[in-house]
């Protein structure tokens, strides 16, 4: 299997003077922990909020704050800081971005080290901008025009998060969480192999009610499906994720929660009728049976035994196949005759590929962080090693990249 190690690892963080500057310290730690190299260029106003010493220590590099003076004793005469930084950067991350710096970059103003560097950056590198400011500043039409202009010129400008702002109001304007900035950085350092592709992913367990307090479910936690959604997203695909009610939230992805298998089908049907998906990855564990009749009142603990009459739930893959012509990747969670059962399912359901795994093993599958599986296609079988679910997801997604519909 291909190595997925990225060789571009030089991150240049631009810091302008907003209240969220302190969050950059956590962001640098996250990059460093994941073996990225970091340099910081900051405005003088940003240094009013946090001393450059903090960023220098965490990044293990000099911090650049001056256009004309040497910033560090390792720099020789003739060293031009903004050109050095432009040569260094594989990616530029401007966080937090003030209204001021947005205006400057959008209008070609280069009057300090931060704005000069931002304008001197190489055309082809990704430039990610994370505005954070008071809601009135953010919504100011001039600020909005500047953002639009930046977007039209290849800058990726992300909407700020909502929540309590430093000025005390609940509104849009917060710097988005550093782990999201980190995920976005990784995404834009990767080749966007699935750009233009639309992919629908399902994850987690459905729940079939018995009465108002009880239900039938299974051990699926949604980790495999969530990893698949994240990998597709990181390769630039437009991803929608439909998850069982107790599935974990996956940041930065359109995620919809459903309860019953029938709700999952309805959501899928609704999404497909509004979007032309290229692939559907069904990694959710849909309950095979539901009770015939959901009791309106809680069943009392009276008799020694209780029999529930059950019926099969809808076969969602079959319903998709009957109504739409979209390649589907399915999963086979098996406890015996794994490959044979999976091959049978691939044929019977007309799947594009099936991912079979042994859920009887304690060390992989349900709830575990790792998995080992066999990816079966009509003409090809891929046996994976025991890997993290994210790495397994990368292997499954490679089938989409290489596959013809
Ligand atoms: C306490 C305080 C907090 C501020 N927070 C922000 C902010 O979050 N976003 C913003 O755009 N401006 C904020 N400002 C205003 C900027 O600091 C100001 O516009 C400054 O000129 C920006 O300079 P720079 O873009 O060169 O760093 C704040 C000012 C103060 C005094």
């Amino acid at each position: 299997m291909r190595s997925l190690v990225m060789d571009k690892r030089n991150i240049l963080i631009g810091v302008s003077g907003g209240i969220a500057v302190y969050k950059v310290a956590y962001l640098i730690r996250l990059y460093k922990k994941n073996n990225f190299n970091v340099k910081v260029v900051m405005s003088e106003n940003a240094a009013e909020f946090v001393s450059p010493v903090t960023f220098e220590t965490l990044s293990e590099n000099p911090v650049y704050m001056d256009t004309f003076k040497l910033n560090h004793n390792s720099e020789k005469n003739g060293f031009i800081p903004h050109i050095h930084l432009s040569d260094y950067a594989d990616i530029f991350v401007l966080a937090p971005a003030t209204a001021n710096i947005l205006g400057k970059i959008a209008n070609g103003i280069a009057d300090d080290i931060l704005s000069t560097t931002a304008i001197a950056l190489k055309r082809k590198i990704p430039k990610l901008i994370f505005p954070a400011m008071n809601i009135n500043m953010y919504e100011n039409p001039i600020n909005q025009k500047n953002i639009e202009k930046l977007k039209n010129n290849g800058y990726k400008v992300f909407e700020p998060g909502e929540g309590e702002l430093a000025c005390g109001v609940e509104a849009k304007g917060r710097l988005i969480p550093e782990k999201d900035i980190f995920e976005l950085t990784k995404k834009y350092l990767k080749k966007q192999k699935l750009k233009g592709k639309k992919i629908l992913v399902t994850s987690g367990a459905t729940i079939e009610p018995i009465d108002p307090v009880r239900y039938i479910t299974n051990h699926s936690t949604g980790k495999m499906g969530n990893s698949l959604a994240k990998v597709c997203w990181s390769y630039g695909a437009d991803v929608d994720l439909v998850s069982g009610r107790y599935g974990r939230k996956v940041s930065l992805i359109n995620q919809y929660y459903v309860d019953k298998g029938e709700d999952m089908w309805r959501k899928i049907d609704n999404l497909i009728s509004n979007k032309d998906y290229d692939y559907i990855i069904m990694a959710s564990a849909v309950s095979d049976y539901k009770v015939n009749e959901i009791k309106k009142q809680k069943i009392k603990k009276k008799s020694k035994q209780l029999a529930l009459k059950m019926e099969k739930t809808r076969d969602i893959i079959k319903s998709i196949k009957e109504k739409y012509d979209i390649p589907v990747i399915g999963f086979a969670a098996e406890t015996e005759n794994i490959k044979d059962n999976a091959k049978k399912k691939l044929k019977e359901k007309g799947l594009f590929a099936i991912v079979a795994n042994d859920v009887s093993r304690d060390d992989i599958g349900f709830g575990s962080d790792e998995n080992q599986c066999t990816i079966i296609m009509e003409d090809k079988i891929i046996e994976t090693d025991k890997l993290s679910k994210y790495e397994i997801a990368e292997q499954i997604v490679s089938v989409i990249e290489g596959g013809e519909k």
Side-chain angles (χ1 to χ4, degrees):
M1 269 285 155
R2 283 157 312 127
S3 161
L4 295 150
V5 176
M6 289 176 278
D7 52 3
K8 292 189 173 170
R9 309 199 72 85
N10 288 350
I11 296 165
L12 177 63
I13 309 182
V15 185
S16 56
I19 197 73
V21 173
Y22 70 96
K23 294 183 180 171
V24 175
Y26 298 102
L27 180 62
I28 297 173
R29 292 196 69 168
L30 202 49
Y31 287 136
K32 293 293 286 182
K33 231 166 99 183
N34 287 277
N35 298 319
F36 288 97
N37 311 312
V38 176
K39 287 195 177 185
V40 172
V41 53
M42 66 196 285
S43 68
E44 274 192 21
N45 291 328
E48 292 287 333
F49 294 84
V50 172
S51 159
V53 175
T54 303
F55 300 149
E56 206 157 282
T57 310
L58 294 172
S59 69
E60 302 174 275
N61 267 317
V63 165
Y64 297 79
M65 266 187 63
D66 205 301
T67 318
F68 300 104
K69 287 192 212 125
L70 299 184
N71 291 274
H72 196 256
N73 53 19
S74 63
E75 295 162 10
K76 307 262 179 316
N77 284 335
F79 178 90
I80 305 172
H82 62 281
I83 302 300
H84 163 76
L85 292 172
S86 166
D87 286 340
Y88 170 83
D90 290 322
I91 191 163
F92 178 61
V93 174
L94 179 54
T98 57
N100 180 51
I101 191 70
L102 294 176
K104 282 200 210 174
I105 306 173
N107 293 289
I109 296 169
D111 65 350
D112 68 354
I113 182 75
L114 176 58
S115 50
T116 304
T117 304
I119 284 163
L121 292 170
K122 290 180 182 150
R123 198 167 249 271
K124 65 176 194 306
I125 70 155
K127 301 165 191 82
L128 317 186
I129 298 184
F130 299 94
M133 64 198 67
N134 160 278
I135 184 71
N136 299 330
M137 292 173 89
Y138 184 67
E139 287 180 347
N140 183 307
I142 295 177
N143 188 50
Q144 287 300 316
K145 273 196 190 118
N146 287 335
I147 289 176
E148 215 38 55
K149 198 163 167 188
L150 288 165
K151 284 184 180 167
N152 292 338
N153 282 284
Y155 294 85
K156 313 262 177 244
V157 188
F158 297 90
E159 287 223 331
E162 281 187 41
E164 194 183 344
L165 304 184
C167 47
V169 296
E170 287 275 332
K172 196 191 269 182
R174 286 170 66 88
L175 183 67
I176 68 166
E178 51 275 8
K179 67 171 192 5
D180 290 354
I181 298 180
F182 174 69
E183 290 286 335
L184 284 159
T185 312
K186 280 199 301 180
K187 167 177 168 147
Y188 284 100
L189 279 171
K190 271 190 193 172
K191 214 169 151 209
Q192 300 288 276
K193 290 183 272 203
L194 296 180
K195 201 170 168 37
K197 293 268 182 280
K198 299 180 197 76
I199 301 175
L200 175 59
V201 184
T202 65
S203 73
T206 56
I207 57 175
E208 296 299 339
I210 297 170
D211 68 13
V213 294
R214 303 178 179 96
Y215 56 78
I216 296 159
T217 190
N218 58 64
H219 291 298
S220 170
T221 58
K223 277 184 193 162
M224 193 63 243
N226 291 356
S227 297
L228 280 157
K230 208 73 201 231
V231 169
C232 292
W233 170 86
S234 77
Y235 286 137
D238 169 3
V239 177
D240 289 310
L241 175 63
V242 180
S243 301
R245 189 206 293 194
Y246 298 113
R248 274 198 216 146
K249 170 98 192 81
V250 186
S251 59
L252 302 163
I253 287 178
N254 300 326
Q255 189 175 16
Y256 307 91
Y257 284 101
V258 293
D259 282 345
K260 302 193 279 287
E262 203 52 31
D263 301 336
M264 182 164 276
W265 158 246
R266 253 185 267 126
K267 188 70 213 170
I268 290 171
D269 191 22
N270 170 269
L271 286 167
I272 303 178
S273 36
N274 287 298
K275 203 183 268 184
D276 187 16
Y277 290 100
D278 295 284
Y279 292 94
I280 299 176
I281 307 178
M282 290 290 296
S284 52
V286 179
S287 183
D288 292 324
Y289 287 90
K290 62 181 179 183
V291 293
N292 276 15
E293 190 196 337
I294 305 166
K295 294 276 182 273
K296 288 212 171 55
Q297 307 299 331
K298 185 182 168 196
I299 302 170
K300 293 274 182 238
K301 195 168 96 183
K302 277 195 280 193
S303 54
K304 209 164 179 192
Q305 289 190 340
L306 172 74
L308 291 172
K309 209 162 183 199
M310 304 186 82
E311 64 185 39
K312 266 192 172 174
T313 51
R314 177 195 292 272
D315 180 339
I316 297 182
I317 294 180
K318 196 167 161 223
S319 295
I320 295 172
K321 284 278 157 197
E322 277 168 6
K323 199 164 169 190
Y324 304 101
D325 181 25
I326 305 171
V328 177
I329 295 161
F331 274 72
E334 302 287 348
T335 54
E336 56 189 345
N337 299 331
I338 294 149
K339 262 188 239 168
D340 288 344
N341 285 342
K343 274 187 197 161
K344 210 169 129 217
K345 198 167 161 187
L346 177 85
K347 266 224 170 86
E348 273 173 14
K349 301 204 166 194
L351 294 169
F352 174 76
I354 191 157
V355 183
N357 61 333
D358 182 351
V359 288
S360 66
R361 274 171 62 180
D362 284 343
D363 59 328
I364 56 167
F366 285 143
S368 131
D369 287 329
E370 291 186 314
N371 210 350
Q372 181 166 15
C373 44
T374 311
I375 307 166
I376 304 169
M377 300 174 76
E378 219 170 76
D379 55 348
K380 190 160 61 171
I381 293 190
I382 302 167
E383 301 271 8
T384 76
D385 293 331
K386 186 176 157 191
L387 297 165
S388 74
K389 285 190 172 166
Y390 193 88
E391 288 166 312
I392 294 279
E394 290 188 296
Q395 297 208 1
I396 297 169
V397 171
S398 72
V399 159
I400 293 182
E401 292 159 38
E404 284 305 309
K405 282 207 250 174

